[in-house]
Amino acid sequence: MRHLLGIEGWRRDELEALLDRARVHLPGGPDVTHTLRGKVVANLFFEDSTRTRTSFHMAARGLGAGVLNWSSSGSSTSKGETLLDTARNIEATGPVAIVMRHKSSGAPHLVAKHVRCAVINAGDGTHEHPSQALLDAFTLRQRWGSLEGRTVLIVGDILHSRVARSNLWCLKALGARVVFCGPPTLLPTGLESLGAEVTSNLDAVLPQADAVMCLRLQLERMGEAFLPSTKEYSRLFGLNAAREERMKPGALVMHPGPINRGLELAPSVADGPRSVILEQVSNGVAVRRAILEVCTS
Amino acid sequence: MSGTVLFRRGRVIDPRNGVDGVRDVLVKDGKVAEVSVAPLPVPPGAEVVEAEGHWVLPGFIDLHVHLREPGEEGKETVLTGCRAAVAGGFTAVVAMPNTKVVNDSGLVTELVLSRARAANLCHVYPAGAITKGLKGEELAETGELVSAGCVAITDDGRPVMSAALMRRALQYATLFGVPVMVHEEDLTLSAGGAMHEGPTATRLGLRGIPASAEVAMVARDLVLLEETGGRLHIAHVSCEGSVRLIREAKRRGLNVTAEATPHHVILDDRAVGDYDTHAKMAPPLRADRDVEALREALADGTVDAIATDHAPHGVLDKQVEFEKGINGIIGLETALGLTLELVHGGVLTEKRAVELLSHGPAKAFGLPGGHLAPGAPGDVTVVNPNEEWTVEVHRFYSRSRNTPFHGRRQKGRVVQTWVSGRKVYADGQVKESR
C-alpha cells in the first residue's frame, strides 16, 4: 500500500515498472481483471472534473472494484465540514484507495497523513497531477520506445499548471529534457533550480522539440491580469499552422485538455497528424488501472 | 510583596552597563540594589540564589506577543500568555492589539491591564491600534490609548495600506512620543500568497509572496518617517532588502528600530516541507540568503531586538489545507534556546544575544528594565547555559501548541525568572501568587 501524492520522489525504475504494468491494460487485454474484486475505490472530487474522474472510475471498474463517487457539491463541505472530517468519514466506509482532487495544493498530503488507505492525487491545486503525467509519459513511450535524450517543450500557463510540475518530474526521471515556455508573468520563479530550462521565446525553441505539450490557458484565473489579452497570447504562444511547419518532422503535439480551441492550439493542429491528444485520453484508463494496482498492492 | 534576594556568584551579562563577569546581585524592594564583584554579605531574611555556573541576566522583554484576550481565550489568555512568558525567561511583554475586540480604545487597554494585574506574573505593556478596528481607514485615539497605558501603536497583522494615513499616523504619534510599529506587507503584492516566492513555492504549487511585498513598504515608511519625524519600529523583518534599507536609514540618523523573530533567523522557506502549516507565517519564512542577511543584521545592530511574534492558534487552525492554515507560531518558550543556537553557531556573541533579548527591546520602546544597574527593576532571568533539553510542546505553558520546533534539541535553558524581585518561575514551575 502506498500513496501517489506526486511524481516527485518516485524513482525511474518505479515509474517504468508502473508504465510497463499499464500495457497489460491496453485495449485488447482483459476487459475486467479481478485485482480489486470486492474492494471499493472512493472518488473524492472537491473540484469539477470530467476526464480524470471518468477515467479513474473506468479504471477501478475495470479492476473489478466498486466505486464510491463523492463530490463536494451538495455535500457536507458546504455545511462547513473540514477536509479531514470528510476524508475520515469516507475512509470509515472502507475503501482501499481514495482518489482525490482538490483545489488546494497539498490537500492530499494532509489527508494521507490521517488515513490508512492509499491516497491517489488526481490533481491538487497548482501542484501536481501525477496520473496525467504518467499517461503522457506512457503515450510518448508508446511512440518512441524510450524518452532518453528527447526534448519535451511545455508551453503556456506554467504558473497555474499542476500538469507542468508533474511532467517535469516524470519526464526528467525518464531521461528527457524539459523546456518550459510561456509569458514571464506565467513562469513561476525558481523553475531552473527544479531542473527545467525556461524561455519565453517559443519560436527559438520550437524546432528543438520532439514533443510540444500545450497547456490550457486557465482563463478562470486571468482576472488578475497576467496577460493583456488572449489574442496577444495566441499570437505569441499559440501553436498555429505556421508554427507547426517549423516543428521537427515527426514531432508530436499533446494537450492535457480541455482545449481552448483556437487559443493554445489551432483546430487544424489539435486534430492534425501530429496530435496524440485522444491517445492520451484512452491511455489514461490503462495507466490509472496500473496506478490503482500499484498503490493498493 | 517582594523581599530581598541575593544572586550569588553568577555570571552577570548586562550589555547596557558593560558588565560581563562573576558578580553578586542584590535585589531589594523590587529593584536592583547592588551589583558587586566582591561577594556580598547575605542580608537578614534574604533569599539566596546560588548562581554559580549560571548566567544572571536582565529579564527578557518581548516587543511582540499575541495574548488573544479579549476574544480568543481558547487560544491564549493574558494569564496563560504570562505563564508562557515567564517560563521562557520574559519579564515583560508587549501585547498586540489585534484581539477580537480590537484594542483601539482605552477601555480595552484597561481590560488587558486589569487581567495582567490579576495574573501578577510579568509586566504587560499593551500596544494600541493605529487605526480604528485595524481597518486602515481612520486613526484610533492615540492619546486615549497612551493615557490608558499603551506603549506603542500598531495595526500588527495588517499593514496600513494608505500611504497618506500612515503619514498622518507618524505625524500624530509625535504628540505622544510612542513608536509606530508596522507590519510591512503590500497586500497587492502578497495577495493569494501562502509562502515565500521561490523554488519551494514553485515546487509545491503554492502562490508565492515576493520579498518586494515587504521591502517596498519598508521603503515607503522610511520615506514617510524622514518627512514626518517620529519613531518607526519595523516588526518581524524577514528579508535582505528590508535589512539593507534599515541599515542605510540608521546610518543617516533616522529614528527607526527593528525586530526579528527567532523563527525567521533559524528557518528558511524549505521548512514548509510537505505543506507543514507550522511553518506558515506572515511574513513567510524566506530564502536562505534572507536568513543570512537577518543574522548579520542581528549581529551588527541593524536589528535592535529579538521578538517572538508569539501567535497562539488551535489545532483546527493548522490541521487544514496549507492555503487555509492560519499564520503564526508560538514563541515565548522557545526564544532563548533558538537565540542560543545563534550563539553556538558563531553568529552572535553571548553579550549580543542577551542585548537582543533585554536592553535592545527596552531601548526601542523606551521601557523600564533591560539592564541590572542599581535602581533598575528587579527583573532577572537565570539561565543554565549548559543544560541540554528537548522541546516538548505539551509541557509548555502556552494554551496553544503550534510550533515547528517540537522535538528540537536545545542547549541552554531558563531556570528561574524574577519579576520585581519576586520569583515567578523556578524548577520548571510557574509560581502563581494569589
Side-chain angles (χ1 to χ4, degrees), chain A residues 43-286:
Chain A
N43 264 344
L44 234 73
F45 278 63
F46 291 86
E47 195 184 66
D48 296 340
S49 162
T50 309
R51 207 171 317 250
T52 306
R53 184 192 186 111
T54 311
S55 186
F56 267 111
H57 188 108
M58 300 286 283
R61 298 292 297 166
L63 296 174
V67 180
L68 171 72
N69 267 316
W70 181 97
S71 72
S72 56
S73 50
S75 75
S76 328
T77 41
S78 49
K79 299 179 194 162
E81 186 170 70
T82 66
L83 169 59
L84 272 188
D85 280 339
T86 303
R88 284 177 176 139
N89 276 295
I90 296 289
E91 190 205 15
T93 66
V96 286
I98 289 176
V99 176
M100 180 178 162
R101 153 119 3 146
H102 199 281
K103 65 180 187 311
S104 290
S105 301
H109 301 66
L110 176 69
V111 169
K113 278 178 204 151
H114 293 92
V115 298
R116 283 181 302 277
C117 64
V119 175
I120 296 167
N121 182 359
D124 64 323
T126 54
H127 177 229
E128 282 222 44
H129 192 346
S131 62
Q132 177 71 39
L134 287 164
L135 71 88
D136 291 341
F138 185 88
T139 306
L140 292 174
R141 261 176 132 219
Q142 230 175 10
R143 291 293 185 121
W144 295 340
S146 164
L147 274 64
E148 193 65 51
R150 299 284 188 162
T151 295
V152 179
L153 175 60
I154 302 179
V155 183
D157 183 355
I158 312 294
L159 180 69
H160 296 120
S161 176
R162 49 197 175 211
V163 175
R165 285 166 181 76
S166 283
N167 264 292
L168 172 64
W169 305 122
C170 190
L171 298 171
K172 291 275 293 179
L174 295 170
R177 170 186 172 220
V178 178
V179 183
F180 285 138
C181 177
T185 48
L186 295 175
L187 292 169
T189 56
L191 283 170
E192 292 91 343
S193 69
L194 305 183
E197 293 172 49
V198 183
T199 178
S200 290
N201 187 342
L202 178 59
D203 290 313
V205 289
L206 194 62
Q208 303 168 14
D210 296 297
V212 179
M213 185 184 297
C214 296
L215 299 176
R216 186 173 70 85
L217 200 55
Q218 306 211 13
L219 294 167
E220 68 275 17
R221 302 186 204 251
M222 292 296 154
E224 296 173 66
F226 285 96
L227 295 171
S229 72
T230 50
K231 189 176 106 215
E232 180 153 305
Y233 177 84
S234 187
R235 191 166 59 76
L236 293 171
F237 298 98
L239 195 54
N240 52 30
R243 285 206 170 95
E244 190 191 6
E245 278 179 25
R246 291 199 297 278
M247 287 173 69
K248 268 189 190 177
L252 305 174
V253 169
M254 312 178 84
H255 195 296
I259 305 173
N260 295 305
R261 280 189 174 259
L263 182 47
E264 306 111 13
L265 268 177
S268 67
V269 183
D271 305 328
R274 294 175 182 280
S275 169
V276 293
I277 294 171
L278 290 176
E279 287 169 46
Q280 290 173 268
V281 178
S282 50
N283 286 335
V285 177

Side-chain angles (χ1 to χ4, degrees), chain B residues 246-282:
Chain B
I246 295 163
R247 187 176 286 131
E248 210 260 336
K250 283 189 161 183
R251 196 174 294 144
R252 288 192 299 121
L254 295 191
N255 203 346
V256 59
T257 51
E259 68 186 35
T261 72
H263 47 273
H264 284 110
V265 189
I266 294 289
L267 302 175
D268 64 33
D269 60 343
R270 287 169 295 188
V272 172
D274 279 325
Y275 304 97
D276 183 359
T277 49
H278 282 147
K280 189 172 187 226
M281 8 251 178

